[in-house]
Amino acid sequence: MLAAKQDDVSNIHRRWSFTRITPGTLKASYAMMCICATIVIAVSHIFYLQTDLSSLVVHLPLGLGVLFGLTYLDSVMLRGTPVNKMSKVVHVTSFANLLWAMTVIVGILSSNIFAKPATADYIVAGMLLAAGLRVGIFVSVFGASLGRAVAICLVQPLIFFFAFVPTQSYGSITEQVGFGFGVSFVALAISWTIIVDRSGRPEIPSTFRILQAFLSAWTENKAGGLEDYLESRAHGEYVSTKIIRFLPKGFGKPSAIILPDVHPGPFGSVGGSNLPYVLFERFAKSALVMHGVSDHSLNIPSKAEVDRYVKGLSEATLESKGEKCSLPVQHHQGNATATAIIFGKSALIMLSLAPKGMEDVPQSVRKDIESYAAGLGISSLLVDCHNAMGEQLSDQDTCDLIEVAKKCLDDAVTGTQAEFDTGFAGLAEVQQKKLQNSHDLGQSGLGVITITTQGRTFAIGWADSNNMENALRDKVLATASSKDVKMLEVCSSDTHSTSGKRTSEGYFALGGYSDQDVIASAYAEMCKLAHERASPSMYEVSFAKSEVKVMGEKQFQDYSGALDRAMNITKVFVGATVAVFIAMQILA
């Protein structure tokens, strides 16, 4: 199967920044709504209507009180729409009043520049501009029908207008030139909703339906609608999972390294985003669920398909078992680091570009290394450490990763294998309360497996996180390594359960929210604990194949294309709105 083009995924990811335009809290939205409404009322009375102070004193609290009541009326009138939440209603009111306030302020500047008398044109035009914005948001975000949105859009601005404008000025609504320009703003908004909603056709019948399903999943944790849609467009695929289990020969708790070929995602509570924790829990919370060589095309679209995938693990086939492993071998070349440990005829290979960072390791790297390993008579379990933020791999970095992995295999395969001890420790077992419920950690937290062989002890660290801050990996290795234990590598699961945050990436990479020194200290404690409880072990390498639906490449192509077309159309309409607005400054 072809991998999803990173350009499509990156393009979709760039659009995430638009979700951060809204105020961060409901209180901020209320504050913005009140401030903008106060500006509209005060400027209208002082500069346009030229009333006395007593009139402003009466109409300011009256207008604000009516506006607060009208926000609740909006919520009632929008009842039954797919995305209807009080916070969103207040967001709409705050931005509508922002446009209205900008209009009356620009009107003052225009009157001074063009030496024209101040009239109520700008009050009326601002009111209808606010109504036009409301039409667009009620249709696109809330999911109201166009007819319903048009019927509702004028209710709040018009009643608010009647509340803060003195009765003797009511005639200004239809007598001023501003009314004609305002109607143009509403007409542009209506046209925009019709055209943009169809921008994804024929692949996506309604662009707005996808937006609403996304918002329901992101802001209200209602993933069902989006999962149904993603699953309906997914296709069946056989995906593999490789598992190394470490079984104590006597007393002790088994541990494991899990390497699924599916990719966590797409985001938040949707589909297989929390797959690392699902697997962590299935293996008795004593496992490292690594990031395999996979990309977003291998996202599982729904929780039902996650269950199918996990069920397939029960039919895993035992490939090999034994009691010996090699000493770890680690090499560096350019920005690349590879670490390899061989268990019998199976090689665990970990690839990293930290601290430079990279996007997902491409399939071409995997195929080249697997082919080379097969030529040496061994199978490979390839781990994408995913432990620093970065861009797509350059050709040089790709070559370096492949070459450094081959060097590790050459050295490890000729090395002596000996019996070994293993130990496991997790974050829940050490006293690091500052990391509990952290925004940059998934439910599995942190974990460490130690391997002791030939008189030396090595540790592999793991985090149930969506990548890591670039300096963190080196800090952890330096802090957690001691005279007793050498930390080889620290990897992330690339969980997407922590996504949906109001950051430029849409998530906090590990160390982007939590204190990095605390994280490093936690790893040091876990290394010590895992080393203390280590016991003689044997290994089992298993292989499972599950038939499951995955999102595939085309979905991301379609979403990316629809977003591009929608943005281009929106730019045209914004340009047209600005042109009408400028014309109003000249002609009104």
Side-chain angles (χ1 to χ4, degrees):
M1 184 187 70
L2 293 174
K5 289 182 180 178
Q6 289 298 322
D7 287 346
D8 294 324
V9 176
S10 299
N11 189 42
I12 294 169
H13 183 261
R14 283 198 301 271
R15 307 302 184 188
W16 173 262
S17 59
F18 289 98
T19 65
R20 299 191 294 151
I21 294 175
T22 59
T25 65
L26 181 58
K27 289 181 180 179
S29 286
Y30 271 118
M32 179 176 167
M33 180 182 78
C34 291
I35 292 170
C36 292
T38 299
I39 291 172
V40 170
I41 297 170
V43 171
S44 297
H45 274 260
I46 295 171
F47 292 97
Y48 294 110
L49 305 177
Q50 298 182 348
T51 61
D52 54 31
L53 182 61
S54 61
S55 178
L56 178 60
V57 170
V58 170
H59 287 92
L60 179 59
L62 177 61
L64 292 177
V66 168
L67 186 61
F68 267 88
L70 290 170
T71 57
Y72 291 95
L73 180 61
D74 268 351
S75 182
V76 172
M77 291 188 294
L78 289 165
R79 184 173 295 166
T81 53
V83 182
N84 182 17
K85 199 174 182 179
M86 194 62 205
S87 61
K88 292 183 176 63
V89 172
V90 179
H91 290 339
V92 175
T93 302
S94 63
F95 276 102
N97 285 335
L98 175 63
L99 287 181
W100 199 341
M102 290 171 58
T103 303
V104 295
I105 290 172
V106 170
I108 297 172
L109 300 175
S110 177
S111 297
N112 290 327
I113 292 172
F114 295 103
K116 298 184 300 182
T119 66
D121 284 322
Y122 293 99
I123 306 175
V124 175
M127 176 185 69
L128 292 172
L129 181 58
L133 176 70
R134 285 161 58 82
V135 169
I137 296 179
F138 288 162
V139 174
S140 63
V141 174
F142 285 78
S145 65
L146 181 57
R148 185 178 181 182
V150 171
I152 296 172
C153 77
L154 262 176
V155 173
Q156 185 191 96
L158 194 58
I159 296 177
F160 176 50
F161 176 91
F162 284 131
F164 79 79
V165 171
T167 54
Q168 63 268 26
S169 300
Y170 285 173
S172 61
I173 296 178
T174 57
E175 293 178 0
Q176 304 297 330
V177 177
F179 179 79
F181 283 103
V183 170
S184 299
F185 293 138
V186 176
L188 284 168
I190 292 172
S191 301
W192 176 84
T193 61
I194 294 171
I195 296 173
V196 170
D197 190 38
R198 301 177 181 182
S199 62
R201 295 182 180 180
E203 292 83 5
I204 300 175
S206 171
T207 304
F208 292 154
R209 290 292 175 265
I210 302 301
L211 173 62
Q212 292 146 24
F214 162 76
L215 290 173
S216 290
W218 173 40
T219 63
E220 300 176 47
N221 203 29
K222 296 178 181 178
L226 184 57
E227 286 191 343
D228 288 344
Y229 184 82
L230 297 179
E231 187 176 330
S232 70
R233 303 195 66 215
H235 69 276
E237 185 81 18
Y238 282 100
V239 294
S240 63
T241 304
K242 295 182 178 180
I243 305 161
I244 304 180
R245 298 192 70 201
F246 301 113
L247 308 172
K249 295 179 182 179
F251 294 102
K253 187 178 181 181
S255 58
I257 295 176
I258 318 298
L259 194 58
D261 274 355
V262 289
H263 191 281
F267 74 93
S269 61
V270 180
S273 298
N274 201 27
L275 181 64
Y277 178 71
V278 172
L279 296 175
F280 179 75
E281 193 173 39
R282 179 180 174 84
F283 284 84
K285 298 184 177 180
S286 184
L288 313 183
V289 185
M290 300 298 199
H291 183 281
V293 179
S294 61
D295 60 25
H296 290 270
S297 67
L298 289 168
N299 284 349
I300 300 179
S302 69
K303 290 180 178 61
E305 290 299 310
V306 169
D307 292 340
R308 284 184 64 196
Y309 167 76
V310 173
K311 185 179 179 180
L313 298 183
S314 61
E315 300 176 4
T317 302
L318 180 65
E319 288 195 333
S320 64
K321 62 181 180 179
E323 300 178 352
K324 296 181 179 181
C325 74
S326 71
L327 283 169
V329 176
Q330 190 171 75
H331 283 295
H332 309 275
Q333 181 170 311
N335 297 306
T337 300
T339 308
I341 308 174
I342 297 183
F343 299 87
K345 292 293 185 180
S346 299
L348 176 68
I349 308 164
M350 295 175 283
L351 303 178
S352 173
L353 278 185
K356 178 187 177 183
M358 63 179 172
E359 268 291 347
D360 299 332
V361 173
Q363 293 285 347
S364 59
V365 172
R366 172 180 177 171
K367 291 176 181 177
D368 201 325
I369 295 173
E370 285 183 343
S371 176
Y372 188 81
L376 297 175
I378 56 176
S379 62
S380 60
L381 295 87
L382 201 60
V383 176
D384 176 355
C385 292
H386 215 266
N387 55 4
M389 309 283 284
E391 304 297 329
Q392 289 177 258
L393 273 75
S394 66
D395 291 341
Q396 185 60 55
D397 287 336
T398 299
C399 291
D400 287 344
L401 281 175
I402 293 171
E403 290 304 312
V404 79
K406 291 178 179 179
K407 288 180 183 178
C408 285
L409 287 172
D410 287 338
D411 290 349
V413 78
T414 58
T416 301
Q417 294 197 29
E419 294 183 347
F420 63 94
D421 299 352
T422 58
F424 177 88
L427 179 62
E429 300 172 290
V430 298
Q431 298 300 315
Q432 290 292 350
K433 294 183 179 180
K434 292 182 180 180
L435 295 179
Q436 294 177 1
N437 302 315
S438 178
H439 291 301
D440 51 2
L441 264 181
Q443 289 175 271
S444 309
L446 309 174
V448 164
I449 284 180
T450 58
I451 300 173
T452 302
T453 185
Q454 300 181 46
R456 301 171 64 186
T457 300
F458 306 89
I460 301 172
W462 175 76
D464 189 19
S465 65
N466 195 331
N467 217 318
M468 300 182 186
E469 288 295 316
N470 289 36
L472 181 58
R473 180 254 191 188
D474 289 348
K475 179 185 285 288
V476 168
L477 265 58
T479 303
S481 295
S482 65
K483 64 182 180 63
D484 297 318
V485 181
K486 178 182 178 181
M487 176 73 91
L488 292 172
E489 193 59 90
V490 58
C491 311
S492 81
S493 66
D494 194 30
T495 180
H496 281 48
S497 65
T498 58
S499 60
K501 304 296 191 299
R502 293 173 65 89
T503 67
S504 58
E505 292 83 16
Y507 61 87
F508 289 104
L510 184 63
Y513 182 88
S514 302
D515 186 284
Q516 294 192 14
D517 290 327
V518 173
I519 294 170
S521 296
Y523 276 111
E525 290 183 50
M526 289 185 291
C527 283
K528 181 180 178 182
L529 181 58
H531 180 47
E532 289 173 351
R533 61 171 52 151
S535 62
S537 305
M538 62 178 293
Y539 71 85
E540 290 183 351
V541 178
S542 301
F543 175 84
K545 182 168 279 191
S546 306
E547 184 178 10
V548 65
K549 286 185 177 180
V550 295
M551 289 182 62
E553 176 186 8
K554 192 173 188 307
Q555 284 207 57
F556 291 99
Q557 290 177 341
D558 292 345
Y559 300 146
S560 178
L563 277 170
D564 284 341
R565 290 191 291 274
M567 290 304 299
N568 290 335
I569 292 167
T570 299
K571 289 176 184 177
V572 171
F573 274 88
V574 168
T577 302
V578 171
V580 173
F581 194 85
I582 293 173
M584 183 175 68
Q585 313 309 312
I586 299 172
L587 301 176

